[in-house]
Amino acid sequence: MAYDLITMGRIGVDLYPLQTGVPLPQVTSFGKFLGGSASNVAVAAARLGRRTAVITRTGDDPFGTYLHEALQGFGVDDRWVTPVPGLPTPVTFCEVFPPDDFPLYFYRQPKAPDLEIDAHELDLDAIRDARVFWVTGTGLSEEPSRTATLAALAHRAKSGTTVFDLDWRPMFWKDPACSGPDAARPFYAEALKHTTVAVGNLDEVEVATGVREPHAAARALLDAGVEIAVVKQGPKGVLAVNSKGDQAEVPPLPVNVLNGLGAGDAFGGSLCHGLLEGWDLEKIMRHANAAGAIVASRLECSSAMPTPDEIEAAITAGAVK
């Protein structure tokens, strides 16, 4: 049976402070959670009842073992999560200063195992057969992950729904020849050729298209070949436009933010769910906004992903209670 969703990209351990509004030097205790955007999206969709799997790599260490156990506990197939001898499993710390300051500190040295995904090891038939396939911009930042990501996209050839999470994180683009938006843009353009849905915030759509104004950026993404462009506008909400001319612009759901870091991944899992359900753009965006808002009201990311009943309750209430 084909998967509803296969994601490909980052995984790691999130170590989040259990004290809010406290800088890291003064934090005394941390919670340990599964992290990494592609892995969190798979978890979010699994929480909504979808059959999901993730393609990624960990270190051959106890944290790698923990991530396998966590994925299995969330109902995500981990058969394509493999160890890389000699590289440690990445760890990410954050500081929590609600409502809008959540500095991240990535420990991915000397290299993150998830950037060691090799094209020759991919199950290309499974990737082609999945109803939704999700890749990220970070996967393009370094070899061999870059070649593997583009090979998976090319083999899939837009069968089903292929989502490109633009996911621009400049600190991961270490090669001087590929650093900076202008140098990264050709790789984004190549990925967009094989993409049916592109999703990103204002910074990310500017990296992909050179355009920052939301409607113009959405049009540029459609011109690049996608069928649906989703532009996150922060406090202004989210804009979605499709190639048929349909458009939805949905405001954010009111929420008391505790930690905003996992909201985008919850949004992504819900986006995939809505696409699989065949909902119209506005319903997809309202559902995804609600999912993101719920996670923003919680400390952790993966284990905070909402259930269908929680999302429906938030939509009905018009806010996260």
Side-chain angles (χ1 to χ4, degrees):
M1 182 187 298
Y3 291 88
D4 291 323
L5 170 66
I6 296 176
T7 68
M8 179 174 171
R10 285 193 298 115
I11 196 169
V13 177
D14 287 344
L15 293 175
Y16 285 179
L18 300 182
Q19 292 85 46
T20 301
V22 179
L24 276 180
Q26 279 74 57
V27 172
T28 59
S29 56
F30 296 85
K32 174 168 60 78
F33 310 103
L34 179 147
S37 58
S39 301
N40 280 338
V41 169
V43 170
R47 189 65 59 89
L48 297 175
R50 296 299 175 180
R51 184 170 184 251
T52 72
V54 59
I55 301 168
T56 190
R57 306 198 72 181
T58 70
D60 188 9
D61 54 24
F63 273 150
T65 301
Y66 161 72
L67 293 174
H68 277 279
E69 293 173 350
L71 287 170
Q72 293 166 11
F74 289 127
V76 176
D77 194 322
D78 64 341
R79 70 180 63 195
W80 297 304
V81 182
T82 58
V84 181
L87 291 179
T89 298
V91 175
T92 302
F93 290 87
C94 79
E95 293 175 299
V96 181
F97 297 106
D100 58 5
D101 187 18
F102 309 101
L104 278 168
Y105 304 90
F106 294 98
Y107 291 81
R108 292 166 63 85
Q109 292 83 23
K111 184 180 183 180
D114 54 61
L115 293 175
E116 284 290 310
I117 299 172
D118 191 290
H120 298 96
E121 298 172 355
L122 295 175
D123 187 337
L124 292 173
D125 289 340
I127 289 170
R128 184 195 58 230
D129 293 343
R131 297 177 67 192
V132 179
F133 180 54
W134 176 288
V135 299
T136 75
T138 294
L140 300 173
S141 66
E142 197 167 336
E143 294 289 4
S145 172
R146 179 185 301 139
T147 293
T149 299
L150 294 175
L153 289 170
H155 184 83
R156 185 168 168 83
K158 290 191 175 182
S159 59
T161 298
T162 303
V163 184
F164 181 18
D165 174 6
L166 302 177
D167 184 41
W168 171 247
R169 298 181 185 270
M171 72 286 290
F172 296 162
W173 291 72
K174 297 177 181 178
D175 184 344
C178 300
S179 62
D182 291 341
R185 192 167 294 128
F187 301 117
Y188 275 68
E190 181 63 27
L192 285 169
K193 293 178 183 177
H194 307 289
T195 298
T196 61
V197 181
V199 55
N201 61 30
L202 295 178
D203 291 336
E204 291 164 343
V205 298
E206 185 176 14
V207 170
T209 67
V211 180
R212 187 173 183 86
E213 195 282 321
H215 289 82
R219 173 50 54 190
L221 289 168
L222 294 174
D223 289 344
V226 308
E227 298 170 11
I228 301 175
V230 180
V231 182
K232 300 175 184 177
Q233 305 176 86
K236 290 185 65 178
V238 62
L239 167 69
V241 183
N242 68 20
S243 56
K244 299 176 182 178
D246 301 321
Q247 176 177 309
E249 196 157 7
V250 177
L253 206 63
V255 58
N256 290 322
V257 175
L258 176 58
N259 184 356
L261 292 175
D265 300 334
F267 182 101
S270 173
L271 170 66
C272 293
H273 177 69
L275 292 168
L276 287 164
E277 287 291 312
W279 294 339
D280 61 45
L281 283 182
E282 182 165 346
K283 183 172 182 179
I284 292 173
M285 293 304 108
R286 291 194 181 280
H287 194 276
N289 263 359
I294 290 168
V295 172
S297 73
R298 299 169 176 175
L299 173 65
E300 64 273 25
C301 295
S302 53
S303 56
M305 296 302 172
T307 65
D309 288 347
E310 289 173 327
I311 295 174
E312 290 304 323
I315 293 172
T316 300
V320 176
K321 302 296 186 180

